[in-house]
């Protein structure tokens, strides 16, 4: 009797061990999430990481992961602080079977703090629509990917858009543009490029700084009123945006003569400004809305049938930050897929993920398959070009929601690319980096 | 009983003026050094070095600098992060513009640059004190941040105002692994801490404390106010400058001026309030509390509640951290260092403490 019980116990233990062991054996792709959900920028963080996680979750539920490799992730709270971001990065970078695989901090500051580290640890750092614009040069920044479009590209598209409203680029001559920027690395990033364009097209540009966080802008707007510019470029972030809109209304500057960037163009930026925000136009690299098959799939597989997704407030699904997160999820998943085609259907290391990103090629057909047509632009990366698309749409706040008012406007790479290479070369010289030889690598691949 | 000086006689002046007159203190110091220099490098992982220990040491150093000014000399300052920024940017520029500049010399020069700026912004302290002085040093904080952002020369014309620290090389040896960076930081912090301890015990340190306790009385007994206060600003800023340089070079690698914003200054001030004003040990305890406790809460949070919503967890951590600050300030308004001192007293009288 006793012996039997012992046998049974041993058998039981073996079964339990097997059950414990099986999930470890099944392939999984571990993704580190350096998210922020508290602090002054929590609205951006919860929306973005909510969309990102919901998309990965949807892939797991709908397709069982990517080619049978399940996606897993772990979050670490950065509070949008650089030092906490570094701590989170160091904490998560070696977790999972093959390491953190991709780093997405959604913060220009954290991006800067991690650039050196990702090169040593061989992990791709993907900064979609923020971070270092010159990292588009993959020869100097092999592990950094400012995908879709950078600040510099956005800026040239913005000037093109203004030109089209004025009735042609030659009409820009003699126009006055004010660049109202957030007093941070993010805000300063486009000043040099604007000066170049001003010289090229013959308009004048005045840079006016709003010190962080930007909840007092009376003097800046008085100055703007005196200058009577034709356009104001609002390069804001967080609370600065709604304050700018309200102050503009107070001094009588029309909102439809203001053009914002995409960090000024979320629902959270305009709703607090009330009717002052009506007709305000911003750049965007994707639209809002839930009418895309991929968003519908998330609603169906993650939220329907009493399921709970990552968003505590499901009303925010389809808003700017959420959709941006979904796009981020699509890019990561597509990079995994691309990497798997080369390295096999298993968990990829950071180095293999980097290859996946560098060889990412999402065309119109693929976008339709993904259910993200019109949500995302076609994208093709390479060793030389870590940015890919670069095109920008413009959207207008109608007091209730964002309306797309332009087609994809391509950026002006004639201006941007030489600046990227110049700036990257300077960084390489400061750091003593030898450039990768892209043509040689392409040959070796064949 | 455990912590008693009975039987330890001082027979020479040299013995009388030791930093640690008690044998127990000396032994525990030796143990601490052995721990920091031998045991930690042998067992800690890269995560511990590059995410926990290095920032902890650097912020302790900055807190120590602020403690010299605020804790010992009684001059409330909100410019700590600004002085750190001066140090970081100065070290970067010395390395960039002077060919063959040794890194340690660059650190010292960075500290001296910060000290010069500190003296400049310390001048108002001769006329104003307390909260008003805090506001004056606030100007330093904003002015420095603004200058570094406004004039792109400081960041070598980087389009976004960010500096990328150069390699740290001493006598041909590259400090590029986490362990080596840790040991370098540790050594610098130890040297500066020992200097600070001696400074506090010296005539200058006593003058600082006299100024803090009662300015008029200090002046009457012949302590020169101008010299003492400015010296305190200079030394404090020197420490902060070196800490800032280390923050850029040994910890982050690239920094923007906003890494040294007002929040960082507040963080430093909270460190010394919680750790203990006017206490060397307090600077370290405060840095531990303010920097590492949130991380510990985060790690334990994830470990204890594996399936919890991460936004809920993040908010819980912030609440718990705030509650702990209030708790410790109620239990011991004089800071964690006072708790330690009380503990030592009790050990001395053990087993019958009162």
């Amino acid at each position: 009797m006793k012996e039997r019980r012992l046998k049974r116990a041993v058998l039981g233990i073996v079964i339990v061990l097997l059950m414990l062991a099986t999930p470890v054996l099944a392939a999984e792709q571990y993704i580190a999430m350096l998210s922020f959900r508290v602090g002054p920028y929590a609205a951006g963080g919860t929306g973005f990481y909510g969309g990102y996680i919901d998309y990965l979750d949807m892939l797991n539920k709908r397709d069982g992961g990517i080619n049978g490799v399940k996606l897993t992730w772990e979050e670490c709270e950065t509070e949008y602080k650089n030092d906490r971001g570094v701590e989170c990065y160091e904490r998560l970078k070696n977790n999972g079977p093959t390491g953190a695989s991709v780093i997405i901090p959604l913060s220009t500051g954290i991006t800067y703090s991690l650039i050196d580290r990702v090169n040593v640890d061989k992990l791709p750092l993907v900064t979609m629509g923020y971070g270092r614009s010159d990292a588009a040069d993959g020869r100097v920044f092999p592990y950094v990917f400012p995908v879709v479009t950078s600040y510099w590209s956005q800026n040239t598209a913005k000037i093109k858009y203004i030109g089209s409203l004025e009735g042609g680029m030659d009409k820009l001559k003699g126009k006055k543009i004010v660049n109202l920027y957030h007093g941070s690395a993010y805000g300063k990033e486009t000043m040099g490029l604007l000066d170049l364009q001003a010289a090229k097209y013959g308009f004048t540009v005045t840079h006016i700084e709003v010190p962080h966080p930007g909840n007092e802008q009376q003097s800046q707007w008085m100055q703007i009123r005196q200058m009577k510019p034709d356009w104001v470029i609002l390069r804001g972030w967080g609370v600065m945006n709604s304050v700018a809109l309200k102050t503009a209304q107070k001094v009588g500057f029309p909102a439809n003569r203001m053009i914002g960037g995409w960090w000024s163009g979320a629902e959270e930026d305009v709703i607090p400004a009330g009717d002052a925000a009506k007709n305000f136009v911003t750049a965007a690299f994707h639209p809002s809305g839930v009418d895309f098959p991929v968003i519908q799939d998330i609603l169906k597989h993650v939220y329907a049938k009493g399921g709970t997704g990552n968003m505590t407030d499901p009303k925010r699904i389809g808003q700017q930050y959420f959709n941006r997160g979904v796009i981020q999820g699509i890019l990561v998943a597509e990079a995994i897929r691309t990497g798997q085609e080369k390295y096999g259907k298993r968990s990829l290391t950071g180095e293999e993920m980097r290859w996946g990103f560098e060889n990412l090629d999402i065309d119109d057909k693929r976008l339709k398959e993904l259910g993200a047509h019109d949500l995302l632009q076609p994208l093709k990366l390479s060793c030389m070009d870590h940015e890919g698309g670069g095109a920008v749409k413009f959207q207008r706040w109608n007091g209730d929601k964002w309306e797309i008012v332009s087609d994809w406007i391509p950026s002006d790479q004639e201006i941007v690319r030489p600046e990227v290479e110049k700036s990257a070369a300077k960084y390489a010289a400061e750091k003593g980096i030898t450039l990768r030889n892209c043509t040689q690598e392409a040959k070796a691949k064949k | 009983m455990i912590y008693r000086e009975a039987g330890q006689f001082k027979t020479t002046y040299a013995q009388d003026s030791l930093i640690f007159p008690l044998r127990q203190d000396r032994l525990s110091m030796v143990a601490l050094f052995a721990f920091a220099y031998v045991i930690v490098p042998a067992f800690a992982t890269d995560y511990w070095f590059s995410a926990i220990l290095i920032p902890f040491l650097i912020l302790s150093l900055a807190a120590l600098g602020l403690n010299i000014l605020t804790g010992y000399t009684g001059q409330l300052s909100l410019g700590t992060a600004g002085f750190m920024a001066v140090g970081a940017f100065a070290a970067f520029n010395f390395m960039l513009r002077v060919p063959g500049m040794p890194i340690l010399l660059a650190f010292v020069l960075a500290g001296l640059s910060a000290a010069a700026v500190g003296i400049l912004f310390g001048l108002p302290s001769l006329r104003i004190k307390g909260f008003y002085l805090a506001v004056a040093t606030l100007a330093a904080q904003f002015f420095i941040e603004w200058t570094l952002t406004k004039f792109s020369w400081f960041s070598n014309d980087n389009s976004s105002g960010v500096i990328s620290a150069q390699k740290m090389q001493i006598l041909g040896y590259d400090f590029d692994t986490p362990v080596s960076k840790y040991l370098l930081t540790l050594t610098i912090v130890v040297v500066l801490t020992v200097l600070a301890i001696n400074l506090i015990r010296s005539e200058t340190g006593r003058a600082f404390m006299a100024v803090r306790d009662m300015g008029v009385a200090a002046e009457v007994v012949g302590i020169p106010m101008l010299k003492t206060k400015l010296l305190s600003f200079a030394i404090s800023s020197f420490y902060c400058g070196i800490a800032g340089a280390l923050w850029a070079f040994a910890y982050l690698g690239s920094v923007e001026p906003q890494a040294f914003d007002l929040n960082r200054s507040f963080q430093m001030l909270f460190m010394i309030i919680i750790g203990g004003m006017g206490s060397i040990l307090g600077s370290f305890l405060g840095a531990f509390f303010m920097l590492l406790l949130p991380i510990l809460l985060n790690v334990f949070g994830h470990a204890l509640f594996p399936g919890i919503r991460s936004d809920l967890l993040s908010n819980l951590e912030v609440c718990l951290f705030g509650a702990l600050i209030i708790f410790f300030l109620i239990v011991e308004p004089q800071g964690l260092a006072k708790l330690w001192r009380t503990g030592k007293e009790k050990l001395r009288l053990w087993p019958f403490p009162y």
Side-chain angles (χ1 to χ4, degrees), chain A residues 37-38 75 77 83-84 86-87 90-91 109 112-113 117 152 183 185 188-189 309-310 426-427 430-431, chain B residues 47 50 149 156-157 159-160 162 164-165 251-252 254 256 258 264 295 298-299 302 309-311 314-315:
Chain A
R37 293 169 182 278
V38 293
E75 278 193 71
E77 174 68 45
D83 46 337
R84 285 296 296 274
V86 171
E87 191 272 325
E90 293 289 339
R91 193 195 304 177
Y112 274 104
S113 312
R117 288 166 196 253
W152 292 356
K188 287 184 56 140
E189 182 100 16
N310 200 272
K426 199 164 104 191
Y427 177 82
E430 264 175 35
K431 289 289 218 181
Chain B
Y47 166 67
S50 42
T149 319
N156 195 22
D157 298 319
S159 58
S160 47
V162 176
S164 301
Y251 180 44
L252 286 184
S254 355
E256 44 178 347
Q258 282 71 36
R264 176 81 57 212
I295 297 174
N298 190 269
V299 172
H302 279 289
R309 296 190 63 93
S310 42
D311 46 351
S314 300
N315 283 311

Side-chain angles (χ1 to χ4, degrees), chain A residues 77-376:
Chain A
E77 174 68 45
T78 67
E79 298 180 15
Y80 199 77
K81 290 179 186 160
N82 296 356
D83 46 337
R84 285 296 296 274
V86 171
E87 191 272 325
C88 280
Y89 168 79
E90 293 289 339
R91 193 195 304 177
L92 300 182
K93 73 177 183 190
N94 291 324
N95 286 8
T98 50
S101 68
V102 56
I103 302 294
I104 291 159
L106 195 64
S107 147
T108 300
I110 298 177
T111 302
Y112 274 104
S113 312
L114 293 181
I115 284 177
D116 288 345
R117 288 166 196 253
V118 292
N119 278 330
V120 176
D121 299 325
K122 299 196 187 317
L123 289 172
L125 175 67
V126 180
T127 61
M128 185 174 69
Y130 55 92
R132 264 191 107 106
S133 302
D134 58 358
D137 191 339
R139 296 171 304 170
V140 180
F141 298 93
Y143 281 92
V144 189
F145 292 87
V147 284
V148 185
T149 164
S150 71
Y151 291 144
W152 292 356
S153 298
Q154 177 206 57
N155 198 67
T156 57
K158 212 181 272 174
I159 296 298
K160 273 190 180 174
Y161 178 68
I162 293 178
S164 75
L165 292 184
E166 294 283 358
M169 296 307 274
D170 49 324
K171 298 276 177 11
L172 283 176
K173 211 172 183 75
K175 291 276 184 282
K176 275 191 280 186
I177 296 181
V178 163
N179 175 30
L180 189 71
Y181 68 97
H182 190 254
S184 66
Y186 149 72
K188 287 184 56 140
E189 182 100 16
T190 58
M191 283 165 66
L193 208 73
L194 264 171
D195 289 335
L196 273 181
Q197 293 180 92
K200 185 173 173 186
Y201 297 115
F203 60 85
T204 56
V205 62
T206 314
H207 305 287
I208 300 180
E209 180 181 322
V210 175
H212 164 84
N215 40 22
E216 173 53 55
Q217 299 175 24
Q218 196 65 31
S219 64
Q220 283 90 345
W221 281 98
M222 292 307 277
Q223 196 186 341
I224 290 173
R225 193 171 74 166
Q226 276 177 356
M227 288 175 56
K228 296 200 187 70
D230 299 284
W231 295 94
V232 170
I233 291 178
L234 179 62
R235 206 170 156 64
W237 171 223
V239 66
M240 171 181 163
N241 295 318
S242 43
V243 175
L245 289 165
K246 275 196 209 152
T247 322
Q249 189 187 39
K250 225 186 285 171
V251 303
F253 190 86
N256 63 0
R257 304 301 276 180
M258 290 166 72
I259 309 260
W262 45 72
W263 301 114
S264 316
E267 285 76 1
E268 286 80 359
D269 296 317
V270 283
I271 291 173
D275 62 340
K278 209 167 167 195
N279 292 327
F280 171 51
V281 173
T282 76
F285 55 91
H286 61 84
S288 297
V290 291
D291 306 327
F292 303 96
V294 56
I295 308 279
Q296 289 301 322
D297 269 1
I298 289 176
L299 287 171
K300 190 170 122 201
H301 292 278
V302 180
Y303 286 91
K305 293 173 249 161
T308 47
N310 200 272
M311 300 297 290
T312 19
D313 179 8
K315 276 204 285 293
R316 293 180 63 201
I317 293 172
Q319 291 193 353
Q320 278 285 315
Y321 284 127
F322 182 87
N323 283 10
R324 203 165 297 167
V326 171
I327 289 174
Q328 185 68 77
I330 292 175
L331 292 176
V332 168
E334 286 307 288
I336 294 173
R337 226 182 285 272
T338 313
Q340 282 181 352
E341 276 163 25
K342 182 176 163 75
Y343 298 102
K345 298 178 175 34
R346 55 173 174 82
S347 338
L348 303 176
T349 63
E351 216 173 342
E352 291 161 350
M353 282 291 287
R354 190 193 74 85
W355 192 92
F357 273 108
E358 199 154 80
N359 293 282
L360 205 59
D361 184 1
I362 306 178
D363 52 10
D364 261 333
K365 187 170 147 272
R366 183 67 195 143
L367 282 176
K368 285 209 177 90
E369 286 166 15
L370 289 167
H373 196 251
D374 281 340
L375 182 66
L376 178 63

